[in-house]
Every structure is written in structure tokens, then in C-alpha cells.
Amino acid sequence: MTQEVKTYTVPTMADMAASGEEPEILFWVGCAGSFDDRYKRVTIAFVRILNHVGIKFAVLGPEEGCTGDPARRAGNEFLFQMQAMSNIQVLNGYNVKKIVTACPHCFNTLKNEYPELGGNYDVIHHSQFLQGLINEGRVRVKDGESFKGRRITFHDSCYLGRANKVYEAPRDVLAALDADLVEMKRVRANGLCCGAGGGQYFKEPEAGKKDVNVERVEEALGTGADTIAVACPFCMTMMTDGVKNKNKEDSVRVYDISELIAQGQGL
Amino acid sequence: MEIFQQILFVAALAATAWYITKRIKLIARAINLGRPENRFDHADERLKTMLLVAFGQKKMFANPLVGVMHFVIYAGFIIINLEILEIILDGILGTHRLFAPYITPVYPILIDMFEVLAFGVLAVCVVFLCRRFIARVSRLQASRHRELRGWPVSDATIILTAEILLMIAFLTWNASDSVLRDRGVGHYGELQGIVPDFLISQYLKPLFTGFSDTALVAYERTSWWLHILGILAFAVYVTYSKHLHIALGFPNVYFSDLQPKGEMQNMPEITKEVQLALGLPVTTEADGAQANDNGEQPPAEVGRFGAKDVQDLKWINLMNAYSCTECGRCTAACPANITGKKLSPRKIMMDTRDRLEEIQQGWQTNGPDYRDEKSLLNDYITAEELNACTTCQACVNACPININPLDIILQLRRYRVMEESQAPASWNAMFSNIENNMAPWKFSPSDRFNWADQVNDAN
């Protein structure tokens, strides 16, 4: 049996504009998706899915910049608005209508905070996008890894869940796998933060008796899951660090939902 | 004798009304210290939220058992007020059970209902005291939460005890009244055949069978007076207490935030500066581009960036502070607090109210234009607390009456960063990375697309 050699491509908006084309959707990669070694794997997994289903997409590439979310939440409104307006200039320049992103912080900022500064787009999170593809039958989890007998627990991201009430989409995506889904006690609107939001990711935590990610990972491990599924780059790092803190990195893995779907598809 | 009681009653009523009016004006003035913001938009949505969350107590039912217990006290409070109307009219007119002859068929049904509620309120208040002092529910313990030390614990105990005493006075008053009616003493006897025994107080009648007629009349009068004076005193007390939530809970929910929880409010005064810095056309106020979601215009003069003290916050933040009943659901849900950090969203609200009350006292002792040197930031809320917030919105979600502690935290952070340049060093590094590299980390912006080179690599 010959292995089919797949070639994945990542078009940029600049390329598309040069050839007079417009993509269906802009994939907003985000800083973590661009620079963080672990989260680059998520970006790649999602791009492979996009390629596989044949969606006409593009990325901004080097023209993308931080949305300004961490600066705004830390209190630096000037910096946030500088970032926002620069990005809006770029996005409006390309006449962008629809954006998908794998980062709930970018999602929240682009969706809820850019309109007031002149950036109006239809913004969805990659969990919603994947949910749509699965519902339409465009993504089928076959040909890849089997998840039979594996236990997966989903950790809600605050900026996807409480902030924007997206609770079901990532769970629906995971339901497409043949794994056992187990829930932690604090889920959905009552989900416990990973400890990264509000600029916490970029500084040491204040003095306390425990780190927030350790508290959350203890809860996740309590479900007996071998896989912790996340849908946010910062949750990804916090949960991975928490698992290491508990010396469970050999038996428990942290994956983004798009990676699990890509694995299931053998991409 | 009768007229003397009437005069005394009217005087007590007038004094209470005068004093409460004074208190309401003072509290309203304190809330109006806050910056203006239009919260009179989207009336339909606001009304719907108020019906669900305030009248319907939707969020209280997150814990159904506690939800039901709180609902009993809430319903008791609302419905027993109907009985207060009769008591007040009796007091003014010198009558006894004024309504009974006019609505004879329904009168016992109404009083039975009040008695059942009164008994329910009494029982739930006892359970609530037990939750505080025997079951020791964590979020209510001063040993665990420093903001509760001292007055807040006394306040809670006073409220629950006062409610128990008021309900005992109401039920035993009915019982002693029934015994007097049975014995046909004076005007009490006139209600024979009109007013029967009531559902709960009939079982309390044996307590009074040994009383002489004189002693019984004395008890009836005393319990009536204690009940109504207790209610009046309690009404005054409420304006000094966390229990103000019984009045402000409703408007507080009506005026609460409607936008997604993740959305931070824009600062239009900064937009203009940024447009100038980027060489973009400045959207003038007339364009409406700077008007915020609520359609209001920014103030003409630029004040402080962010908030240092209560007058820099919005009026709704200050109403939030007066509406808070210190239940601590926010703090119990806060990841920073759960893991032992100093931040407690409940303390943010209590500090805001304490600061407002300090300002009020300044007005009262030094005249209405008095300004002291203190501020909410630093004198009440420290940087350590503010910096510990993950902005996860668990506190906002947990509050049964839609109070938003996060909004205050973020406004204080803005002041510290933009006015005082007091961000932690690693945040300053993050800021300069964003500014120079377009990412919060020190990577070259030209490397941003390098990940695409690996898209065809083996996993």
C-alpha cells in the first residue's frame, strides 16, 4: 500500500490579495500559536484540518500583531488601543469579514472589543468552527488514532466559557471521538480558571498556598482522565505545567481539541 | 390612654420616615459621587433580567436547598409587609384588626399565610445561624476571611436575631390576642365570630392560659409595640447594614451589565490620543465613534485614567457596593482566593462601601464639601490584591444579584499602570515586547510566520 503524500499549504492574505482572491475565512493565529513551540503544534493541526476539508483560508503571517488583550487586562489601555487600531487597519485593508481563531483571548477581544474601535468582523472560535464541520459531516474522525477506552476531560477556558458562553462547542467536538468524556466538578459557568488570564501568564503569581494551575490539575486528575483537553494556548501551558508538577507527565497528556481531531483523522 | 398610644405611634412613624429619608439622601449622594454612565437603555432586557434574577432569585438556586431557604425569607419579607399595613393603620387610628370586619371571609386565610411565612422565616433564620456558627460554612467564617472580622459578623448575627425576635413577637401577639378574644376581654371580645384561631399561633395559646387578663393585655400590647417598633428600628438599621441589599438588590440587578462578561469597557478618551499617535483621522465626538455602547458621550474634560478613589468609579460600581450582602459566593469562586492569595472579590466590594461611608462621615462632621486625603486604592485595596486577579469572571458569575467586582479591580489596575506606572516589572517587560515585537514575548516579528515551515513535517 502506498502512502499518499499530503502537502499542506498556508496562504497569506498578502498572497491572496496579490492574486486578486479573497478567502472564505481568516485564521487568526495569535502570538502563542505563532511563537510558543507547544502551541505551534496546535496551529499546524488546525491548518491541516483546514487543508483536509478544502476550506479557502488565509493567515496574516508577519502582518499579524498581538490583539492587545494582556496589555488591556493588566491596565495598559494605551497599548491595547495602539495594537487594536493597527490590527484593525490591516484587517479592514484586506476587507476581512470572517475570522476564526484558536485562542479564546484573541476571540474575545476581536469579537467584543474591536467593534467599538472600528473593527467589525464575524469572529468564531476554532471549537465552534470544528463543531460546524463535524455537524456538516465535513470532518469525520476515521483513518487515524483510535480513542477507544481513553478518558478525556475538558477544561473550560474562562474567555471562551464564562466570557462568551461557549460551553457546548468544544464538548461536541470531543464527542466526535470514540473516547469516554468525563467532567470535572467545576465546569462550564462554574469552571475554575487555569490561573493564566488577566496578565497572570506574564508574571509570577502573588504569594499564596498553592498555584491555581495545580489546584485545577488536581481536579482534572481526580476524574481519572488520561487526556486533558483544552481550547486555549494559556490553559495548555498552565495545565501541562500542573501535570508536570504532579509528576504525571508520563501517564496524562494535555491536548488541544483540534489536535485530537487531527489525530483521529490521521492528519 | 388610647389616644396617647396613637400619638406615640404617629410620632415613632414620623421619626422613622424622617430619619430614613435622611439616610436615603445621604446614600444617594454617595452613589452619585461616581462617574455618569447610561444604564437606562435596553429597558426590556433589563426588566427581564430583574424579573428572573431579582424577583425570581434565579441565581440563588445554584444551591437549591439554600435557594429555597432564602426564598422563604424573601417571600416572607415581601408578603408580611401586607400585614404591616394593617398594623400601621391600627396604630394610627387606634383600631384593632381594622381589616377583619371588612374582609371577614379572607382575613383568616391571609393571616394564616402570614403566620406560615413568619414561622418559615423564623426556622430559616435559625438554620442560617447554625450554618454560620455550627456547620461553619467556609465563606462565612471570619477566621478564613479577614474582611469579615469584627463588625460584618456582628451585623449578620444582629440581622438574623432581629428577624427571629420579630417573628416571635408577631406569632405570640396573635396567640395572646386569640386568648383575649376567647375570654371576651374588652374590645378583643368583639372579634368573636369574626376572627378565628390562626394556623400557627393556635398552638402557642397554651403559653398564655395561666396569664391574668391584665397580664395578657400587657403582653398583647408589648408584643404589638415590640413588633412594630422593631420593624421601624430594623428599617433604620438596614440603611447602615449589609442588609440594605433587600432594597437595593432590585435596582442593582436592573442596572447590571448587559454586555458579554469578557468585554472590558472602552476608554474613549484614550482613543483620540491613539489616533493622533498613529496618524489616523481623529473620530470626533460628533461622529459618535467615541460614544460607548450606551450611546453617551465622553466627558468634555479628561479626568484620571482609571480609578484611584470612589469618585473615579462609575455610579453603578458604587451602587454595587451598597447592594452587597457579603455572602461571599464571589470569593468562594475566586481562583486567587481559593489558592490562598490576598485577593477577595467580596473585600473589594466591602472596601468600596467602607470608603464611601468614610466619606459620608466626613461630610457629616466637616460639611458637605469635605474631602479627605485618603483613597480606595492603597488605603483600602492594595496592589497585591489587584495583581492577583486572573479576570476569570467567576466572581461576576457567582453573584446572585449581578454585582461586578472585576470592573472595579480593572479600573484600579488602569490607574496604577497608566497614572502611576506601577506595573510589576514583568508586566512592563510584556508591555515593551508588545510595543516593539507585536507579541508579549521577545521574538522578532519577522519570525512570526516561521511555524508554517513545519506544517509538512512528520508529527
Side-chain angles (χ1 to χ4, degrees):
Chain A
M1 194 174 116
T2 52
Q3 186 88 32
E4 187 195 346
V5 180
K6 285 176 184 151
T7 313
Y8 304 105
T9 57
V10 193
T12 62
M13 288 300 294
D15 295 342
M16 285 230 167
S19 55
E21 289 184 85
E22 271 195 10
E24 267 178 70
I25 196 155
L26 171 78
F27 172 30
W28 181 275
V29 180
C31 300
S34 303
F35 292 116
D36 180 271
D37 281 337
R38 176 67 188 84
Y39 217 67
K40 279 195 243 177
R41 304 303 313 160
V42 176
T43 306
I44 289 166
F46 188 60
V47 159
R48 287 178 179 182
I49 295 171
L50 291 173
N51 269 270
H52 187 69
V53 293
I55 282 167
K56 199 172 170 189
F57 77 100
V59 299
L60 283 172
E63 289 186 276
E64 190 186 280
C66 172
T67 59
D69 159 81
R72 180 171 238 196
R73 268 137 196 98
N76 195 335
E77 183 74 6
F78 275 105
L79 185 52
F80 162 72
Q81 292 205 13
M82 292 287 278
Q83 290 301 119
M85 285 198 221
S86 308
N87 283 323
I88 288 168
Q89 272 187 293
V90 174
L91 291 166
N92 290 354
Y94 284 122
N95 195 26
V96 168
K97 297 275 187 296
K98 194 167 183 187
I99 302 177
V100 62
T101 178
C103 173
H105 294 264
C106 297
F107 166 67
N108 177 68
T109 305
L110 292 166
K111 180 177 187 285
N112 297 322
E113 299 180 351
Y114 275 27
E116 216 163 311
L117 298 168
N120 294 287
Y121 320 104
D122 177 9
V123 187
I124 58 169
H125 185 251
H126 78 320
S127 61
Q128 298 169 307
F129 191 71
L130 290 171
Q131 181 193 33
L133 292 176
I134 290 165
N135 290 348
E136 292 163 19
R138 293 171 79 182
V139 161
R140 278 205 192 85
V141 187
K142 56 181 176 96
D143 304 333
E145 218 178 305
S146 169
F147 288 83
K148 215 153 203 81
R150 280 174 62 179
R151 283 165 83 86
I152 302 180
T153 190
F154 177 69
H155 162 76
D156 286 280
S157 150
C158 304
Y159 276 82
L160 189 59
R162 265 189 300 273
N164 291 292
K165 296 186 177 164
V166 181
Y167 300 115
E168 300 312 322
R171 290 178 169 82
D172 285 356
V173 171
L174 292 171
L177 305 168
D178 53 352
D180 295 329
L181 299 184
V182 282
E183 291 282 7
M184 291 182 257
K185 196 166 163 246
R186 290 173 281 194
V187 288
R188 295 189 169 85
N190 299 319
L192 183 77
C193 178
C194 70
Q200 296 304 325
Y201 189 86
F202 302 100
K203 69 171 189 45
E204 286 301 310
E206 270 52 47
K209 60 182 197 295
K210 199 194 253 185
D211 284 341
V212 177
N213 60 336
V214 173
E215 167 86 11
R216 186 54 164 171
V217 161
E218 285 171 357
E219 192 175 355
L221 295 177
T223 64
D226 55 56
T227 301
I228 301 172
V230 295
C232 167
F234 304 103
C235 298
M236 166 78 79
T237 306
M238 299 307 272
M239 298 306 275
T240 308
D241 287 353
V243 169
K244 278 184 197 145
N245 179 286
K246 291 274 148 193
N247 296 314
K248 292 283 184 195
E249 63 265 42
D250 292 333
S251 52
V252 178
R253 294 295 166 89
V254 184
Y255 286 114
D256 181 83
I257 53 168
S258 62
E259 290 180 299
L260 295 170
I261 292 298
Q263 285 169 18
Q265 288 186 294
L267 300 179
Chain B
M1 182 59 193
E2 200 58 56
I3 191 75
F4 173 70
Q5 282 198 38
Q6 282 172 257
I7 291 167
L8 203 65
F9 183 81
V10 172
L13 205 59
T16 309
W18 172 78
Y19 199 82
I20 288 182
T21 311
K22 205 177 110 168
R23 289 289 302 160
I24 290 172
K25 280 186 183 162
L26 193 64
I27 292 166
R29 185 165 177 229
I31 290 174
N32 280 320
L33 273 177
R35 286 189 295 112
E37 169 161 281
N38 180 19
R39 294 266 174 150
F40 291 88
D41 56 338
H42 301 98
D44 289 356
E45 200 181 342
R46 293 190 178 282
L47 200 62
K48 201 179 130 202
T49 311
M50 186 167 77
L51 287 173
L52 271 175
V53 175
F55 283 98
Q57 314 255 297
K58 186 177 167 221
K59 290 170 95 177
M60 280 304 295
F61 287 89
N63 178 339
L65 187 64
V66 174
V68 167
M69 288 196 288
H70 182 268
F71 197 85
V72 168
I73 297 196
Y74 158 74
F77 165 73
I78 303 259
I79 295 170
I80 294 172
N81 275 327
L82 294 170
E83 169 64 1
I84 309 292
L85 181 68
E86 186 185 43
I87 294 176
I88 286 176
L89 289 174
D90 276 345
I92 296 170
L93 304 170
T95 48
H96 186 65
R97 295 196 184 273
L98 176 68
F99 296 157
Y102 301 102
I103 52 165
T104 311
V106 289
Y107 190 80
I109 301 171
L110 284 173
I111 303 289
D112 282 351
M113 188 170 73
F114 299 149
E115 284 204 348
V116 169
L117 283 166
F119 183 73
V121 169
L122 198 160
V124 170
C125 286
V126 171
V127 174
F128 280 3
L129 280 173
C130 293
R131 278 169 62 82
R132 278 175 183 270
F133 296 106
I134 297 169
R136 302 186 74 82
V137 172
S138 171
R139 64 183 158 86
L140 304 172
Q141 300 309 310
S143 55
R144 168 75 180 77
H145 301 283
R146 64 197 163 116
E147 68 268 22
L148 292 182
R149 277 170 212 162
W151 166 244
V153 168
S154 316
D155 190 16
T157 315
I158 290 168
I159 292 160
L160 290 170
T161 314
E163 285 177 15
I164 290 170
L165 292 176
L166 287 175
M167 294 307 115
I168 290 176
F170 175 63
L171 291 171
T172 56
W173 170 64
N174 276 347
S176 62
D177 186 53
S178 297
V179 177
L180 285 166
R181 181 203 60 215
D182 292 348
R183 290 187 193 171
V185 178
H187 69 271
Y188 301 101
E190 292 165 17
L191 290 177
Q192 275 180 12
I194 298 173
V195 176
D197 279 356
F198 301 119
L199 208 55
I200 307 282
S201 59
Q202 58 179 315
Y203 301 108
L204 300 172
K205 282 169 75 180
L207 291 173
F208 299 100
T209 44
F211 281 47
S212 69
D213 288 355
T214 327
L216 208 49
V217 171
Y219 187 87
E220 186 276 330
R221 281 292 82 197
T222 312
S223 60
W224 188 90
W225 274 100
L226 277 181
H227 181 226
I228 191 64
L229 286 184
I231 285 170
L232 296 180
F234 195 62
V236 172
Y237 176 82
V238 159
T239 68
Y240 290 93
S241 154
K242 77 192 186 84
H243 213 44
L244 192 54
H245 96 287
I246 60 174
L248 285 183
F250 298 95
N252 191 74
V253 171
Y254 183 85
F255 293 121
S256 60
D257 308 328
L258 297 178
Q259 80 271 29
K261 284 194 184 71
E263 182 181 337
M264 250 180 99
Q265 201 167 38
N266 196 41
M267 292 180 70
E269 64 269 38
I270 284 178
T271 308
K272 191 179 160 190
E273 310 273 330
V274 172
Q275 284 168 330
L276 288 170
L278 289 174
L280 293 169
V282 174
T283 44
T284 60
E285 286 167 25
D287 295 340
Q290 288 188 38
N292 63 22
D293 275 350
N294 306 318
E296 86 220 32
Q297 297 299 325
E301 75 213 81
V302 171
R304 274 172 183 155
F305 291 135
K308 182 187 186 190
D309 204 356
V310 284
Q311 58 267 27
D312 307 320
L313 296 169
K314 292 165 285 184
W315 68 268
I316 187 67
N317 301 129
L318 309 185
M319 181 183 259
N320 277 181
Y322 278 109
S323 308
C324 173
T325 196
E326 302 166 12
C327 73
R329 283 172 177 78
C330 52
T331 293
C334 173
N337 195 276
I338 288 169
T339 55
K341 278 86 174 171
K342 282 222 170 94
L343 175 63
S344 162
R346 168 172 56 190
K347 179 176 175 291
I348 301 290
M349 302 319 301
M350 292 171 72
D351 284 342
T352 305
R353 178 167 179 175
D354 287 348
R355 172 63 186 141
L356 284 165
E357 300 210 330
E358 182 180 68
I359 291 173
Q360 285 181 355
Q361 277 177 0
W363 291 339
Q364 286 176 313
T365 27
N366 303 298
D369 297 319
Y370 181 73
R371 291 271 177 280
D372 61 17
E373 296 298 310
K374 289 192 183 172
S375 61
L376 180 62
L377 180 64
N378 301 329
D379 289 309
Y380 287 84
I381 299 171
T382 61
E384 185 178 346
E385 293 163 67
L386 297 175
N387 289 346
C389 175
T390 70
T391 73
C392 77
Q393 316 124 39
C395 56
V396 187
N397 179 67
C399 181
I401 55 167
N402 292 355
I403 290 172
N404 189 341
L406 175 60
D407 194 29
I408 297 180
I409 294 171
L410 290 172
Q411 290 181 71
L412 294 172
R413 271 190 183 177
R414 279 175 166 168
Y415 178 83
R416 276 181 49 79
V417 168
M418 289 191 284
E419 295 277 0
E420 292 189 321
S421 306
Q422 288 285 349
S426 41
W427 273 358
N428 281 329
M430 178 259 286
F431 295 154
S432 75
N433 287 333
I434 292 178
E435 211 171 329
N436 300 317
N437 307 327
M438 307 277 278
W441 302 288
K442 212 173 186 129
F443 291 109
S444 167
S446 60
D447 292 341
R448 195 176 185 98
F449 195 38
N450 290 359
W451 61 267
D453 300 340
Q454 299 164 37
V455 76
N456 285 303
D457 293 358
N459 281 321

